[in-house]
Amino acid sequence: MLDYFSLAFVVAVKVFKKTTPNGKVTVYLGKRDFIDHMDYCDPVDGVVVVDTEYLKGRKVYSQLVTTYRYGREEDEVMGLKFSKEMVIGQDQVVPMVNSKMELTPVQEKLLKKLGPNAYPFTFNFPDLAPSSVTLQPSEEDQGKPMGVEYSLRTYVAEQEDQKSHKRSSVTLAIKKLQHAPASRGRRLPSSLVSKGFTFSNGKITLEVTLDKEIYYHGEKLAANVIISNNSRKSVRNIRCMVVQHVEITMINSQFSRHVASLESREGCPITPGASLSKSFYLVPLARSNKDIRGVALDGHLKEDDVNLASSTLVPEGKCPTDAIGIVVSYSVRVKLNCGTLGGELVTDVPFKLLHPAEGTAERQRFNAMKKMQSIERHRYENSLYTNEEEEDNIVFEDFARLRMNEPE
């Protein structure tokens, strides 16, 4: 039944909308997630519909705003602020300033359908603009979570720098994400380390190899571990973990979180002269880490289908240290316990965790899975589709009902 329901809207163009509290201005967006393809980034393109009689000589402005929160809101005392809000794009939408604006296909359809009171707008993200990331708070934390957020703010005013009224302004939370390259490549990340012991001959050698360099969210990760014990010590047990590394560039702070782990004693102890070859399988998921403070996510916290934050990518020719905002990376860490006196042997193998690229078969499967989850989540609610507005293959969806915790 769910398959037939999902197929019914495949050919339709889904458009998200949100209206000001006084009902005079409505903003339409073709999507909420905008992809950074490294060589270019999707533009934020939409349409504003306004009651022109309400304006009475005033104008409608739109802003693309990013908020970088690098500290807890409850710690902001005596005027101290741990957030930075920046307007990275601003334009006058009504009356139109650029009448020769190049329109996207979605804008052309919306202008044709919504009539003469519809006005288009387009914003572009700056180069090296950080991706959207939210750091998961603990149950004791109050206020807004730390992270990088983007929003589209539209308001009515006489001048662009004039303070807007809440009744005539509307804010839509959007996300800037990065997708994997079309090809994952053939490189197999690996690491080879060894450990010697004081007053003891020989070494323990550990080799770890991953089956891919790039993994997609929800995909199983395989780590092939080879251990050779040429020492007089024994390996008591093996622990394999997926580690998420987070860097908050504003305050030069770094920390790590384990987002998947398992411990094995199979084949242990590995006695002197013995060896072991074993594969470990891990699946790092956001829903498995809901109680861990500081885990980086790529979406809002109340979404059931939120993922772990994707690895931060930088364009070719750019240095990874040029990345700003919240920089996220991943590694597989394998730890051997060599006993109380022997200590531990540890190695990390870096990899990338990303969304599948657009147009690939993996992306189609990923989208189908998310669509089924979304339908299951909303099947007991009223329909979000307004069937009477489906002419021209456009389906309107209320923006606010999916953004339960959208910042105002």
Side-chain angles (χ1 to χ4, degrees):
M1 181 62 184
L2 291 176
D3 290 337
Y4 290 114
F5 184 78
S6 61
L7 289 173
F9 299 102
V10 168
V11 296
V13 177
K14 183 185 291 186
V15 174
F16 301 94
K17 67 176 183 178
K18 191 173 181 182
T19 305
T20 56
N22 61 13
K24 302 298 183 181
V25 180
T26 302
V27 181
Y28 295 83
L29 281 179
K31 55 186 175 181
R32 301 169 300 168
D33 298 345
F34 300 88
I35 309 305
D36 183 355
H37 303 272
M38 306 310 294
D39 52 345
Y40 74 96
C41 188
D42 293 344
V44 182
D45 54 334
V47 168
V48 173
V49 175
V50 61
D51 183 349
T52 53
E53 295 181 358
Y54 167 74
L55 292 181
K56 296 179 181 179
R58 293 177 296 176
K59 302 170 184 177
V60 178
Y61 298 95
S62 279
Q63 296 177 334
L64 180 60
V65 181
T66 179
T67 303
Y68 185 2
R69 176 164 291 281
Y70 49 90
R72 299 196 311 169
E73 190 174 20
E74 55 264 38
D75 292 338
E76 296 179 343
V77 294
M78 299 181 67
L80 187 63
K81 283 284 185 180
F82 293 127
S83 66
K84 181 75 173 178
E85 181 179 287
M86 293 168 281
V87 178
I88 57 178
Q90 182 161 319
D91 197 10
Q92 177 181 306
V93 182
V94 185
M96 281 190 66
V97 176
N98 182 13
S99 58
K100 297 182 180 180
M101 178 189 299
E102 185 175 347
L103 301 177
T104 62
V106 172
Q107 287 176 323
E108 291 177 351
K109 282 192 174 187
L110 286 172
L111 292 175
K112 177 182 176 182
K113 180 174 181 60
L114 298 173
N117 290 341
Y119 301 86
F121 64 86
T122 301
F123 292 109
N124 292 299
F125 289 96
D127 294 339
L128 291 178
S131 296
S132 299
V133 176
T134 300
L135 298 185
Q136 186 166 259
S138 66
E139 294 182 358
E140 294 78 19
D141 290 339
Q142 303 295 325
K144 297 178 181 178
M146 292 188 289
V148 177
E149 295 181 345
Y150 289 93
S151 60
L152 180 70
R153 182 186 300 157
T154 302
Y155 60 96
V156 177
E158 295 181 359
Q159 301 292 333
E160 64 180 9
D161 57 352
Q162 181 181 345
K163 186 176 180 180
S164 59
H165 294 284
K166 191 172 182 179
R167 64 178 179 274
S168 59
S169 62
V170 59
T171 301
L172 291 77
I174 60 177
K175 291 192 291 185
K176 177 181 179 289
L177 304 174
Q178 290 181 321
H179 282 181
S183 173
R184 297 205 237 190
R186 297 182 178 180
R187 178 177 173 270
L188 302 181
S190 63
S191 174
L192 176 63
V193 295
S194 60
K195 178 181 176 69
F197 301 93
T198 307
F199 308 119
S200 177
N201 295 328
K203 295 181 179 180
I204 296 179
T205 303
L206 168 64
E207 182 179 2
V208 181
T209 305
L210 305 183
D211 60 338
K212 297 185 187 72
E213 182 182 13
I214 297 176
Y215 293 91
Y216 300 141
H217 290 285
E219 194 172 35
K220 183 185 293 186
L221 181 151
N224 301 309
V225 177
I226 299 176
I227 304 169
S228 298
N229 187 359
N230 297 312
S231 71
R232 296 182 180 179
K233 304 290 182 179
S234 295
V235 177
R236 303 287 183 83
N237 64 342
I238 307 167
R239 191 178 180 195
C240 187
M241 300 159 282
V242 175
V243 184
Q244 181 190 72
H245 308 275
V246 179
E247 178 184 0
I248 305 177
T249 59
M250 180 69 78
I251 55 176
N252 195 26
S253 172
Q254 299 96 15
F255 60 89
S256 300
R257 295 289 183 268
H258 297 163
V259 293
S261 65
L262 61 85
E263 186 172 337
S264 174
R265 295 180 180 272
E266 184 179 347
C268 295
I270 304 175
T271 55
S275 62
L276 176 69
S277 178
K278 183 176 176 62
S279 293
F280 292 87
Y281 298 94
L282 298 165
V283 183
L285 295 171
R287 61 174 177 266
S288 303
N289 297 276
K290 288 185 176 181
D291 299 328
I292 302 179
R293 182 178 185 269
V295 171
L297 309 173
D298 74 353
H300 287 259
L301 304 176
K302 291 188 179 180
E303 292 181 358
D304 294 337
D305 56 353
V306 67
N307 294 299
L308 293 171
S310 298
S311 299
T312 302
L313 305 179
V314 294
E316 188 174 352
K318 297 289 186 179
C319 180
T321 56
D322 293 336
I324 58 176
I326 295 180
V327 180
V328 179
S329 60
Y330 291 89
S331 68
V332 170
R333 178 174 296 168
V334 177
K335 184 180 295 187
L336 305 184
N337 179 5
C338 303
T340 304
L341 299 179
E344 294 179 334
L345 175 56
V346 183
T347 187
D348 280 67
V349 184
F351 68 93
K352 296 180 176 66
L353 183 65
L354 294 162
H355 294 277
E358 295 288 350
T360 60
E362 290 87 352
R363 185 67 195 178
Q364 294 175 1
R365 288 194 292 268
F366 184 82
N367 289 341
M369 180 180 67
K370 293 195 70 173
K371 181 177 289 187
M372 294 296 291
Q373 291 174 346
S374 178
I375 292 171
E376 181 72 19
R377 188 169 66 251
H378 298 296
R379 63 179 178 174
Y380 296 114
E381 298 182 3
N382 294 329
S383 175
L384 297 178
Y385 304 97
T386 54
N387 295 326
E388 67 274 8
E389 298 184 78
E390 286 183 19
E391 50 187 89
D392 297 330
N393 280 343
I394 296 180
V395 175
F396 294 103
E397 184 166 314
D398 190 347
F399 197 98
R401 295 185 64 174
L402 272 76
R403 291 293 184 193
M404 302 298 290
N405 65 334
E406 175 186 334
E408 295 294 343

